[in-house]
Each structure stands twice: as C-alpha cells, then as structure tokens.
Amino acid sequence: MAAFEKPGDRMPVADLLDHAVCEMTSQIAGLEMHLISAIPEDLSNWKTFLIRVKGDYMATVLMSAEDPVFYEIARNMKRQNEISKADIAVYVTEYFNILGGFFVSAFNRGRNLKARFGIPEYLKRAYIQNTNLNHDAVRLFYQCAYGKAVVDAMGFPF
C-alpha cells in the first residue's frame, strides 16, 4: 500500500489529485501527463468528463482536454489504431471512472469519510469555469504529447 493510501493520511488534495492523474493516465492509457502553469484561451476543440461525488460530502471532479488527448486515451485503452467517436465516449468514460475511483477512494481513506461517485458524464464541449475558483476547489493544468488538459476538483472538504 502506497503512503497516500494509508487511512488517516491527509495528503493535500492537489497532491493527491496530481498523483491520481499522472499515475492512472500512465498505467491505463499509456500517456505521460506533466503539470504546466496554464492552458490556452481557445477551448473550441475541448471536451469534458465529469464525476459527481455524494456521501459525507458533495463534490465534483471535471477533466477537460483537447480532442487529441481523449482520442489517444481511447485508442490506447482499446489497443487499436482506428477508433470511432463512440469509442472515445466509452473508453474515456471508463478511464475517468478508474481515475475518479482511485482519487475519491484515496481521499476518503485519508480522511475517514464515505462517499460514492456516479457514472462519469461526457460533455461534448469544454466546461471550464472562470479562473477564480472558490476556496474549496483545486485546478491543475497538464500537458502530454497529444495536447493539454485541465482537471478541477470542487467541493472536497479540504
């Protein structure tokens, strides 16, 4: 069991989220994600996946990325060169389900909380709220070989 998975370990949410994104994306999708300082202004070819968390707390995790990032995640998970738009929705939903489960489970264990998350929702557009997030939110920006992504965690009891 890794250090961040020990019950009662209160790893900062941003660190836990970053670990989940980098570790799970590498393991299940074969992409190396690296933190960057900001994303570009043009979000016209971005899509979003969203998970709602309910239980001892209510929270949301969103991942928005450029189309090629989600395309490559789906292609690598399907292990085929040609994939359809439907494949992207199916495989990235599963990817985000795994990533969300890893993050929420570790968060819950570290704080002795109970919460479950729903099935990831696929939004066919970018959903990035204004840059002035509330105090109960974390926003992380990433770059991989196929483009950029942003992950927001909102409503988690920090």
Side-chain angles (χ1 to χ4, degrees), residues 93-142:
T93 296
E94 182 58 21
Y95 155 79
F96 203 54
N97 190 46
I98 295 166
L99 181 124
F102 185 85
F103 170 68
V104 171
S105 295
F107 180 86
N108 288 342
R109 265 191 309 276
R111 288 155 177 83
N112 297 315
L113 296 171
K114 293 180 183 174
R116 298 183 145 233
F117 60 92
I119 297 169
E121 300 171 43
Y122 176 47
L123 309 176
K124 296 179 180 178
R125 60 181 170 79
Y127 183 80
I128 300 176
Q129 295 183 352
N130 66 37
T131 55
N132 299 321
L133 294 175
N134 294 336
H135 67 280
D136 68 344
V138 170
R139 173 171 285 157
L140 300 175
F141 303 102
Y142 292 93

Side-chain angles (χ1 to χ4, degrees), residues 10 12-14 17 51 53 56-62 103 107 111 129-140 151-158:
R10 294 183 59 96
V13 174
L17 184 60
I51 291 178
V53 183
D56 290 345
Y57 57 94
M58 293 180 63
T60 304
V61 180
L62 296 138
F103 170 68
F107 180 86
R111 288 155 177 83
Q129 295 183 352
N130 66 37
T131 55
N132 299 321
L133 294 175
N134 294 336
H135 67 280
D136 68 344
V138 170
R139 173 171 285 157
L140 300 175
V151 180
D152 289 341
M154 301 172 283
F156 286 85
F158 291 81

Side-chain angles (χ1 to χ4, degrees), residues 38-46 66 126 128 131 141 148:
I39 59 169
E41 295 286 326
D42 180 16
L43 305 176
S44 59
N45 70 338
W46 287 54
E66 294 176 285
I128 300 176
T131 55
F141 303 102
K148 294 182 171 80

Side-chain angles (χ1 to χ4, degrees), residues 28-31 67-84 87-88 91-92 146:
I28 63 176
L31 299 181
D67 286 343
V69 174
F70 286 146
Y71 179 89
E72 198 61 25
I73 287 171
R75 193 181 71 76
N76 288 346
M77 288 182 68
K78 189 172 182 182
R79 292 181 167 73
Q80 292 185 3
N81 286 331
E82 297 298 320
I83 61 170
S84 68
D87 290 333
I88 294 170
Y91 283 95
V92 178
Y146 300 93

